[in-house]
Structure formats: C-alpha cells, structure tokens
Amino acid sequence: MSEYLPDPRLAQSTLPLYDPVKAADFPQTILRYRNDRAAASAGLDTLTDEAWTSHFGRFRPLPDNQPEPLALRYHGHQFRHYNPDLGDGRGFLFAQLRDDQGRLLDLGTKGSGQTPWSRGGDGRLTLKGGVREVLATAMLEALGVPTSKSFSLIETGEALHRGDEPSPTRSAVLTRLSHSHLRFGTFERLAWLNDADTMRGLCDFIIANYHPTAQDIPGLFDAVVSANAKLAARWMAAGFIHGVLNTDNMSMTGESFDYGPYRFLPWYQPGFTAAYFDHAGLYAYARQPDTVLWNLGQLGRSLTLITDSEPLVAAFNTCPERYDAEFALAVCARLNILPLTDNQPLLTSLFPLLSSLAYDGSFEGLFYDWFGGKLSHNRAMASPRAEHYTGEAFTTFRTALEAYETADPAKLDHPRFKKPNPETLLIDEIETIWADIAERDDWSAFYAKLDAIETWRRALNL
C-alpha cells in the first residue's frame, strides 16, 4: 500500500501561472466511478466513498495540500489560429502529490465550475463527456499510450444545455490524475506577454520536477520533443484519433489528456477525423504526427524568448527520426515481437495490408490475431478474420513477420487470447453504453466494459 505524500509544488512556487478559484456548489454528488488502482498508487485508495465524494465532488482540500483550487493560465493555437483568451475555463488544479514511484502528479478537474477563463461558458461537463473520457483513458492505458488517468467521476445533478447534443443533458465533474497539466500553451502565453523571468522560472520548475536529466533549456526542449514523439507514435499504433490537437492540449510531459471528440479507428483510414467541426481534416488520423511536430515548433518558438534558437532547431529537426523509431517500437510492442535493427520491411508491409482490410474491427483485429508474431500463426488463421489473410499484401506482411521472435510467449497463455475477438472501443459501443445510462440509468454496460478493458490491459501488459 502506498503512502499519501502531498507535495503542492506549483502553489508553493509563487510563479504567476494560476488564479485561485472556488469549485461550483453542485445540487448532488453521486459517485459513478472511482479508480482505486490509480488511487492506490497515490495512497488514496483507503478513502471511504463519503470522503471521496467530499474531496472530488465538493473539493474539500486534501490534507496538507493546496488550500484552494488553482485555475491555470495559458494561451494556445486552436486549429493553428492563435487564441490569447484561453486558460482553465471549466477545470482547475486541485492537488499535487507523489505516487509510489516518487513522481510528482496532479489531480486536475473538468467540469468543476466557472473560473476567470470561462469566457461566458458554464464551467460544467456533461455526464456523457465524463463517461467517454473514463472509457478513453482506460483503453489507451491498456494499449500502452501515455495518458492521464480518469480518477473520479461524480454526477452533479444539473441539467445542461449544449448545442451539439440532445439537451437538457446530465452533468458531472471529472477528476484526472496526470503527471502534469503544464502545456505548450503555458509557454505561448508567457512569450506573448514577453515575460522572460517567469518563463525561466517555469523551465527551472519543469526540469526539477519532470525532466531532471535536462541540463538546460535546450535540453528541456529536447526531452519534450522525445516524449511527444513517443506519444504520437503510440497514438498511431493504437489507431487513436485525439480530435483536437491544439497546443493547449499538448503536455510538457508527453501525456495524452483532455478527451473530447476522440475516436478509435474501425479500420485503417488515413483521413479519418474525430471532430465533426474539423472540416479540413487538419487533425485526421494520419496527420497527427505532423500536427505534433507543428505544435512542438510553437513551443520552440516560444522558448526563443530566453535561449538561442540554434539548439532548439537542432532538437526539433530530430523529431521525425525519433517518431519513426518510436513507431517501430510501438508496432513491435503491439505485436509482441522483439524489434530488429531494421524494422522497415515490416512497417512498409503493414499499411498495404491494413488498407486492404476495410471492415469494422479490422485495425485492432490484425494486431490481436498476430500478437506474438509467427508464434500466433495457427491462432490467427483460425480467427473470424482468417478469410482476409490472403493475397499479396498479406503474404508480404507474413514474410516480414517471419524474421521476428516473440517478445513474451507467456502472454499468449492469458485466457483473454482464447476469445475470438479483441477488445475494442468503437463509437457504436460508446453510444450503446451511453444510451443505457441516459434512457434507463443502467450503468451495468459501463462497468462491464471497464472490467473487460482491465482484463485486456492485464493480458497485453504493454
């Protein structure tokens, strides 16, 4: 059992990066989800439901932690248009604490009320949005993507009106556990203000708490480039589309967070978009690595306020190479095979095969069937998808796969791999889960899905 170790570093830093705020006073606090596995890593799993709801529904301060919530200040590029009117508009930093590995973690919120940065919004979160985020983070963690963890979901008893979904709809407040909520947009704001002193202090803070191997500001940028190249590669290997890859949704620690209109690919579609308002397909599945690169460019440009550009450009230029290397590792991890010195034949055979498998569930199905590489040949050829494993594209892929050894054969002994199909989180599944909640207040499918994803996580062990 881990010890609760409060460590409100940002509040103690005196850096002008936040505004003290008060949480909304909700009519109700109905606990719908608590992540006891994440809570155990931070010494909070022994809280009673009553105490949990008090802290994460009423936001009574945790012992020896921040005395009040802090709404973070930031700007950002939204669909590549600069917006200086951002900041935590419906969330705040509630607490900071150490986990069982000694890492500094944030407990941040979504839907916790209005702040100075709400821009006329109500500061609330729909219950459906909370349900979707809990499911997203669980699945992404199972698939090996660095992600925030949904820590708590509490229904709050308000009727919300939204223009893009049936209204009125139910409300909730979400608490997420994340390595950090400091964003690229935090630096963009300081550059916009020409506040070099605060930016230097922020760099020192991030180096000390999140990237301790960085020796200086260029070293910090290099570490952030590396972390986000890995994140982009893991998204792509998971078939995940974030939907809104604005610079204010990019973390200095390389964690995925803030899930709005996300999707998982039903099959390989390079132009697939998650956000209905992304009319130009700027954040389409296949454009995500380039988007991360562009966003890193905005961070690097901000840092030129306090350091020379030459080492920043040098680190920035390594991003495509780092992404390629990380993507190869991510694909090998998803296939449970040991990477080779040259993985290009496998990677170049993968996409033509995925392109030929244009049916629901085929993206995840391929990785499931061939999890273990050539060792899974008989299992794959007995799967419901076996009839599609034929033709030139498949032969090329299968030949490339022959060169690889299975990374962990014991994983195939997990009972989950006896089932014919992989675990998925496609949009129709999410809508069915939500319909049960919205129409009958039936949460059984939601909890069953989370149990199934947890079994999936243990089986994959990525």
Side-chain angles (χ1 to χ4, degrees):
M1 183 181 298
S2 297
E3 183 181 0
Y4 167 65
L5 297 171
D7 197 359
R9 287 293 179 95
L10 191 62
Q12 295 169 354
S13 73
T14 70
L15 291 168
L17 301 172
Y18 51 79
D19 295 278
V21 294
K22 293 186 181 299
D25 184 12
F26 299 115
Q28 292 179 296
T29 50
I30 305 169
L31 180 57
R32 296 301 188 183
Y33 172 75
R34 57 179 282 173
N35 189 337
D36 280 319
R37 184 166 59 85
S41 72
L44 294 173
D45 54 315
T46 58
L47 290 175
T48 64
D49 283 353
E50 181 181 8
W52 184 283
T53 302
S54 174
H55 290 305
F56 305 118
R58 300 297 179 190
F59 296 99
R60 310 290 186 256
L62 287 167
D64 301 317
N65 222 301
Q66 292 175 193
E68 54 192 348
L70 306 176
L72 303 184
R73 306 171 182 173
Y74 50 85
H75 292 177
H77 278 85
Q78 297 185 305
F79 288 85
R80 299 195 180 176
H81 296 284
Y82 194 73
N83 188 347
D85 297 317
L86 296 177
D88 278 342
R90 57 172 176 168
F92 49 62
L93 178 64
F94 173 59
Q96 290 185 294
L97 64 170
R98 298 282 170 177
D99 70 0
D100 52 8
Q101 302 173 50
R103 299 189 311 160
L104 181 64
L105 296 179
D106 290 357
L107 283 168
T109 66
K110 190 174 183 179
S112 49
Q114 293 178 310
T115 77
W117 311 107
S118 296
R119 295 178 291 164
D122 62 14
R124 270 46 173 190
L125 171 69
T126 67
L127 181 60
K128 183 178 183 180
V131 165
R132 285 169 46 83
E133 183 147 339
V134 171
L135 293 169
T137 54
M139 181 58 87
L140 286 172
E141 185 183 6
L143 295 175
V145 177
T147 179
S148 62
K149 293 177 174 62
S150 296
F151 195 78
S152 171
L153 181 66
I154 293 177
E155 187 169 359
T156 53
E158 295 179 311
L160 304 182
H161 291 268
R162 295 291 185 264
D164 56 352
E165 60 182 271
S167 296
T169 189
R170 292 154 71 175
S171 58
V173 63
L174 177 82
T175 303
R176 65 165 71 98
L177 186 69
S178 183
H179 201 184
S180 174
H181 284 81
L182 296 171
R183 313 153 191 256
F184 293 9
T186 312
F187 285 83
E188 289 184 287
R189 174 180 171 274
L190 296 175
W192 190 79
L193 294 171
N194 200 34
D195 189 348
D197 289 342
T198 300
M199 189 180 289
R200 288 190 190 94
L202 177 57
C203 287
D204 290 342
F205 180 89
I206 292 175
I207 290 171
N209 291 290
Y210 305 115
H211 294 292
T213 60
Q215 299 297 310
D216 50 22
I217 293 167
L220 170 61
F221 183 64
D222 185 80
V224 176
V225 167
S226 181
N228 282 278
K230 177 179 179 178
L231 173 61
R234 295 297 179 99
W235 278 337
M236 297 299 284
F240 178 74
I241 307 97
H242 185 282
V244 190
L245 280 184
N246 300 328
T247 55
D248 57 299
N249 286 335
M250 299 294 297
S251 164
M252 293 296 290
T253 54
E255 279 180 313
S256 183
F257 73 105
D258 202 9
Y259 302 102
Y262 70 86
R263 292 286 191 277
F264 286 90
L265 285 177
W267 64 84
Y268 178 64
Q269 301 172 75
F272 192 97
T273 56
Y276 69 88
F277 45 81
D278 187 4
H279 304 295
L282 182 63
Y283 297 152
Y285 168 71
R287 299 182 72 174
Q288 291 183 124
D290 287 341
T291 296
V292 170
L293 183 67
W294 192 91
N295 290 344
L296 284 164
Q298 307 318 302
L299 174 61
R301 183 174 289 110
S302 299
L303 288 169
T304 61
L305 177 66
I306 57 173
T307 193
D308 292 338
S309 63
E310 186 175 347
L312 301 177
V313 171
F316 175 80
N317 287 339
T318 66
C319 190
E321 180 181 349
R322 293 187 193 192
Y323 168 79
D324 288 344
E326 288 289 354
F327 183 68
L329 293 176
V331 168
C332 288
R334 293 231 55 207
L335 289 169
N336 188 20
I337 55 178
L338 294 171
L340 301 177
T341 303
D342 180 13
N343 297 289
Q344 203 57 37
L346 176 66
L347 298 181
T348 55
S349 71
L350 178 63
F351 292 107
L353 177 57
L354 284 169
S355 296
S356 72
L357 304 176
Y359 58 90
D360 269 359
S362 60
F363 186 95
E364 197 61 32
L366 179 71
F367 286 103
Y368 181 66
D369 289 345
W370 295 97
F371 186 82
K374 59 189 177 184
L375 197 61
S376 285
H377 176 84
N378 290 341
R379 185 173 63 87
M381 299 310 291
S383 81
R385 292 157 292 279
E387 65 180 288
H388 300 282
Y389 298 143
T390 185
E392 183 178 351
F394 171 70
T395 300
T396 304
F397 169 79
R398 184 65 184 84
T399 300
L401 198 60
E402 193 66 27
Y404 291 82
E405 298 301 322
T406 304
D408 188 351
K411 288 184 178 181
L412 295 172
D413 294 331
H414 194 284
R416 183 60 184 77
F417 288 102
K418 305 303 181 192
K419 294 187 176 183
N421 295 310
E423 203 61 49
T424 57
L425 189 61
L426 302 179
I427 186 62
D428 288 348
E429 298 176 73
I430 298 171
E431 292 297 333
T432 298
I433 289 168
W434 172 246
D436 286 349
I437 295 170
E439 295 168 13
R440 296 180 295 280
D441 202 31
D442 181 355
W443 290 78
S444 58
F446 173 72
Y447 297 126
K449 187 64 177 180
L450 288 173
D451 287 345
I453 293 173
E454 174 59 13
T455 299
W456 188 227
R457 183 189 70 83
R458 292 178 179 178
L460 295 175
N461 191 24
L462 297 177

